[in-house]
Each structure stands twice: as C-alpha cells, then as structure tokens.
C-alpha cells in the first residue's frame, strides 16, 4: 500500500515520528486528518461497546510495577522469536521469515529449535543484507519496555503491553462500583507498548499503539448471553479446523451459537463488532473472523477469534492483517492476581435462600506432623486440607497419603483431624471468567483507509479519493467561495461558521482553482463540498452548490436548507440522488 502510505503522509493522516532526528521505526504521529479520523473511530467504538452496552469506562496509567506482570504472566511468557544477522546485526522475527519463505501460516506456534531448523532447511537469508541466517540461534525476546519508577533503580516498572491489565488490577474496586453483580463490563481506550522486533507496514506493527478493550466479567455457571439483539448479524467465520482447506462459513451470529461454532459470549461480541465495523465503513468483502489454532493462542486465552482485514491494494495478492482479537480468557487473569496481590479478586454471590452444605475439613495434629515430616509438615497439612475438599473418600481408610513436591507422605487418618459437618452458606465466592474484545485502533484506522482508498476518472481527470464513511471522515463538509471577492468569501465564511456551530467539522478553503480544491477534499475523504458562487449571492433566497464526493454530482440548494439537508444525508435519511 505504498500509494496509501504516501497519501497519508502528504495529506496529514500519519507519518513516521521524529523524522527531523532520523526517525525511530515503530513510532508514528497522526497528522491533523489522521488525529481526527482516529478520534472518530474511537468515539464510535465507545458509543457501541461502552455506552450502548451499559459498560463502565476507566483510564488507568500506562506504567505499572513489575509484580503486576509477574502475576499476569507477561514477564515470563510475552516473547517473540528473534534471530540476529551475524553480518549486519539486524534483528528479525524468525517466525515471520519462516512464514514468508514457506507455506506455514502461524510459525509463532512452533518451538524455537524447530524455527531455527526451518531457517537452516530453507536457506533463509537476512532481509536486510542478504547474508545467510542458517546456524544463527533463535531466542525468545520479551516485548515489554522496562523502566525505573522514581530516581535510581528502586522500583522496576513496565509500559503496559495491553490496556487490559489496568482493568484487571483494579478489579477489587471495580466490582464494588458494579455492586458485585455479574456480568459487568469495563472498557478502556489507551496506549499500549510493545518493543516489537521488526516494526513494519506503517500503522500495522508499531511499538506504541492504541487499544480499545472491553473486559467483561461473567459467572461461568450463569446462563450465557441473550444473543437475540445480534442474532441476525451476518458474519464470515474461518474456524480453525477449516483453515487447512481454506473454507469460510457464511452464517449469522445466532446460527454460529446454535451450531456450537463460537462460544456464545464471544459470538455476541462478534455481532456487536460487526455492527460497529459496518458504521465505520469496513468492506465486508475483505473481512473475516479467523479462529486461532490451539498453539497460536496467547498464554491467557482458551479460545480466540481474530477480526482480519485484507488491506492489499486493488489487483494485488490479499494481505490479511489481524485488527482485533475476541478472546475467552477464562479465570486466568483474576486467579493470577488473586494469588499474587493482597486483595481479593473474587465476587461473593449471595444465594436467594441460604443453603445447607456438607463440608469436609481437617485439623492436623502438628505435634505429630512436625517431628515426623520436619520442614515439609506445613505443606503436608495444606495438602491434606486440599484433599479433604476434593476427595473425602481418601479419609475412609486408616492412613491417608498426599504428595508434596513429587514426594509421598503417609499420615494416620486419626492424626489429620478429618471432620465432616453440615454448614449453612449464604452464598459462594466466584472467580469471574473474562470475555475480551480487544481492538487495535491503529490497525482499524489503517483498514478503514485501505478500504476507502480508490482511484477513478472524473471530469477533471484521474483522481485519488478516500470513500470514507461520514461517521469517521476527518472533515464533514468543506466550504469554498468561487473566489474571495464580490461578497462570495464573506458569505462562505459565514456559512462555514454556521455549520461549525451546528457541530460539523468544517474546512474553509479559498486557495487555488475550484477543481484543485475538490481534489484536495476528495483525497482526505470529505463527503460534501459547498460552493458559494455568483449565482449564490444573486439568488434570493440565497443558494449554494452542494457536491457529493463519490459521484462528484452537484445540486443547487437553498442556503437556509443546507444544515438540515446535510443532517439527513449523514443520517442516511436522504440520498444525494433524492436531492
Ligand atoms: N488484551 C489482549 C491483547 O492485547 P493482542 O491480540 O495482543 O491482544 C489486540 O492485541 C490488538 O492490538 C491486535 O488485534 C492489534 O489490532 C493490536 N496490536 C497488537 N500489537 C500491535 C502492534 N505492535 N502495533 C499495532 N497494533 C497492535
């Protein structure tokens, strides 16, 4: 998409940051058009995923202390495979090199030694200098940016690699705001950071990016969601088992649930997401939900479907990129934080009526366990307690055996203090499961641009046009005077001010010939242009011409009606043909 990236830079959508200092790969600045487009994408996401669904929104810090990531598993498991060229010292994603040189689609699910062997077997060369990579070690490289919190090295912190952790660590407080009622959802839009080995494809793989995430906390023993609101939404699914044959399943959210293709919670959000993708102008001919292969899933996910978009240019081979993940994270996150943190990451669910339950417990005789097992005595006592909860039959014989660190310890049952009693319970402690739609805003912006990008032939000759949806276009309407004289400039400025006051993003432009001005607006995706000409100021009541970007058609309308006409066009209540 060289043309798109060139247009993005020329017209102020996005460009590499700090170019005056040589630039650093993986960091992009959004220019005036891009910042506005991105903001519109985020706004529509908030509307659909937070406001319309009744979920909370929070805004947590991007730097978090090390223990958070010890608990979350990112310190140990958030790695990519790195191979370094011995000749030019450039680092590369080893799995991506394998994918480029073979038919293997998800090489990141392979062990590092297998990837190293494939580099050898396929004689893969360094993409930078061409030297052979055979024989080079393939290492795991942790993607988190490390930092020091405060002066010196007193506390190690990390830039968060996903916004999700900012939600999970606040769960004990957030559940209070939700009054302990499951399910409840918390959303956050913010920056995440990954020290990617080889950033590439402009916004697609960067080191700083924006995520919009929803963490929905559910009780796994409750009924699943009511998917009726999105049951008829059509989706293109690419289940894991179909991927070797390349077969898609064209279905609806409702049928995908009934046929057991997608977990009901994940399916519900695929429906919500599809509605949202439609509002921002994603082309469904170049879009699919692809299920992860088992070896491909993140360390926390038990199932995941990626939204994937083909962002190739017209006439080129498809170029599928992942733009979002819809994952079932189970109880992984809250269990881990419950184990590591001082607070409680469970929800107490009160029964309608107190219940009488039978409960097995132990009260081991430590004056026996201590001399008998020495330093292992406390662990043996814990193991007995766990066994009593799980398998009370184990305490029916004269002796009971438990295993601690691979070693067996046998205890006379009378020394375990095993007891079996009836208790009245008011409720139960639940570790909620997490359903997570995780959207990459930058990749979504890139997709919206790639799907809107077009080249066609109009009266003024060849043109490049971004057919952006009115919901996301950076400029809602451009206002021009034919020339800045004979009162036309003054009237155009007044009209622009009125439209701004009515809430439109308006650009006023009086430079260059009118054809060039239209072309500039076409290139930034402005859906409508208003021109004040001689006829405008002579007509009574005053008129203006209204031009539609996609067809380049123009109609003359009364200035007084302009606001309501634009509102109807935006809302889809009128088409330009009707006018
Ligand atoms: N909390 C789950 C999570 O972070 P992920 O699949 O690693 O899941 C979610 O990331 C989304 O974030 C991706 O689908 C992608 O759109 C975006 N993303 C991830 N890494 C990125 C990068 N280096 N550059 C741009 N976007 C990225």
């Amino acid at each position: 998409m060289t043309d798109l990236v060139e247009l993005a830079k020329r017209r102020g959508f996005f460009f590499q940051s700090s170019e005056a200092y040589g630039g650093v790969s993986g960091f992009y600045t959004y220019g005036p058009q891009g910042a506005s487009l991105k903001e519109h994408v985020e706004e529509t996401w908030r509307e659909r995923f937070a406001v319309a669904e009744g979920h909370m929104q929070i805004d947590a810090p991007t730097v978090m202390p090390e223990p958070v990531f010890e608990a979350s598993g990112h310190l140990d498991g958030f790695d990519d495979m790195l191979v370094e060229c011995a000749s030019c010292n450039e680092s590369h994603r080893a799995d991506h090199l394998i994918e480029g040189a073979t038919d293997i689609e998800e090489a990141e699910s392979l062990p590092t030694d297998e990837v190293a062997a494939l580099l050898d077997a396929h004689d893969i060369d360094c993409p930078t200098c061409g030297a052979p990579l055979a024989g080079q070690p393939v290492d795991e490289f942790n993607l988190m940016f490390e930092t020091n919190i405060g002066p010196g090295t007193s506390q190690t912190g990390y830039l968060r690699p996903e916004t999700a952790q900012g939600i999970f660590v606040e769960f004990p407080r957030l559940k209070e705001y939700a009054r302990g009622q499951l399910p409840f959802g918390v959303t956050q839009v913010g920056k995440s950071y990954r020290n990617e080995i080889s950033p590439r494809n402009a916004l697609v793989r960067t080191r700083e990016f924006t995520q919009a995430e929803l963490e929905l906390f559910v009780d796994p023993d409750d009924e699943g969601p009511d998917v009726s609101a999105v049951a008829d939404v059509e989706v293109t699914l690419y289940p894991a088992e179909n991927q070797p044959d390349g077969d898609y399943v064209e279905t609806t959210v409702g049928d995908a649930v009934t046929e057991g293709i997608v977990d009901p919670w994940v399916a519900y959000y695929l429906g919500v997401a599809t509605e949202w993708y439609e509002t921002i102008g994603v082309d469904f001919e170049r879009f699919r939900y692809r299920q992860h292969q088992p070896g491909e899933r993140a360390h926390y996910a038990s199932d995941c479907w990626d939204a994937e978009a083909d962002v190739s240019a017209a006439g080129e081979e498809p170029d599928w990129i992942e733009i979002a993940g819809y994952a079932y994270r189970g109880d992984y996150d809250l269990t881990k934080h419950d184990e590591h943190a001082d607070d409680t990451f469970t929800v107490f669910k009160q029964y309608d009526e107190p219940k009488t339950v039978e409960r097995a417990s132990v009260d081991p005789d430590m004056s026996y366990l201590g001399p008998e097992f020495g330093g292992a005595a406390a662990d043996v006592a814990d193991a007995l307690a766990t066994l009593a909860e799980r398998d009370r039959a184990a305490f029916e014989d004269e002796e009971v055996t438990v295993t601690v660190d691979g070693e067996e310890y046998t205890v006379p049952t009378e020394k375990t203090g095993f007891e079996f009693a009836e208790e009245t319970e008011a409720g139960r402690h639940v570790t909620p499961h997490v359903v997570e739609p995780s959207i990459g805003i930058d990749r979504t912006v890139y997709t919206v641009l790639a799907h809107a990008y077009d080249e066609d032939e109009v009266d003024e000759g060849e043109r490049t046009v971004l057919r952006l949806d009115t919901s996301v276009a950076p400029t809602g309407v451009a206002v021009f005077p034919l020339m800045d004289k004979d009162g036309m400039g003054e009237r155009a400025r007044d009209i622009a001010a009125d439209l701004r006051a009515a809430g439109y993003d308006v650009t006023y432009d009086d430079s260059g010939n009118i054809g060039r001005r239209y072309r500039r607006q076409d290139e930034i995706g402005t859906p409508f242009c208003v021109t004040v000409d001689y006829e405008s100021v002579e007509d009574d009541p005053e008129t203006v011409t209204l031009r539609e970007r996609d067809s380049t058609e123009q109609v003359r309308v009364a200035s007084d009606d302009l606001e309501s006409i634009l509102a109807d066009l935006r809302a889809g209540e009128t088409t330009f043909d009707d006018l």
Side-chain angles (χ1 to χ4, degrees), residues 164-330:
Q165 293 306 323
I167 296 177
F168 296 141
V169 296
E170 305 307 347
F171 181 80
R173 199 176 295 277
L174 295 169
K175 76 176 179 194
E176 301 297 330
Y177 301 149
R179 293 179 302 286
Q181 302 291 314
L182 294 173
F184 73 90
V186 184
T187 65
Q188 180 170 210
V189 180
K191 293 283 189 184
S192 292
Y193 298 85
R194 296 183 191 176
N195 199 2
E196 295 286 353
I197 295 170
S198 32
R200 58 177 184 175
N201 291 1
L203 301 181
V204 175
R205 191 169 296 279
T206 55
R207 289 176 166 144
E208 175 181 307
F209 52 95
T210 301
Q211 289 185 313
E213 299 199 296
L214 159 65
E215 308 303 324
L216 184 83
F217 300 100
V218 303
D219 180 346
D221 291 336
D222 280 351
E223 265 185 33
D226 173 7
V227 297
S228 58
V230 290
D232 295 334
V233 173
E234 291 176 3
V235 283
T236 301
L237 302 179
Y238 198 23
E241 62 190 28
N242 290 24
Q243 288 163 28
D245 297 327
D247 293 335
Y248 293 160
V249 178
E250 304 288 350
T251 186
T252 60
V253 168
D255 288 347
V257 172
T258 314
E259 287 162 28
I261 305 173
V262 188
D263 164 86
W265 275 115
V266 174
Y268 176 75
Y269 284 106
L270 296 190
V272 170
T274 304
E275 288 182 349
W276 173 62
Y277 289 127
E278 190 171 5
T279 59
I280 60 173
V282 168
D283 175 2
F284 288 114
E285 295 295 311
R286 297 197 271 164
F287 181 87
R288 66 188 182 193
Y289 291 111
R290 188 184 67 81
Q291 187 180 28
H292 279 203
Q293 296 286 347
E296 187 193 341
R297 288 197 286 262
H299 58 275
Y300 47 73
S302 52
D303 193 12
C304 187
W305 290 76
D306 281 346
E308 292 190 335
D310 168 16
V311 292
S312 59
E316 285 182 3
E317 285 290 298
D319 179 8
W320 290 99
I321 61 164
E322 170 203 330
I323 62 172
Y326 298 84
Y328 194 89
R329 292 177 78 129

Side-chain angles (χ1 to χ4, degrees), residues 1 9 15 26 44 68 72 117 128 131 166 232 249 267 315 324 357 360 375-376 445 458 494 525 545 549:
M1 293 300 285
K9 190 171 174 179
F15 45 87
T44 56
V68 169
S72 69
T128 311
D232 295 334
V249 178
V357 290
V445 165
V458 294
D494 284 348
T545 65
R549 173 197 64 206

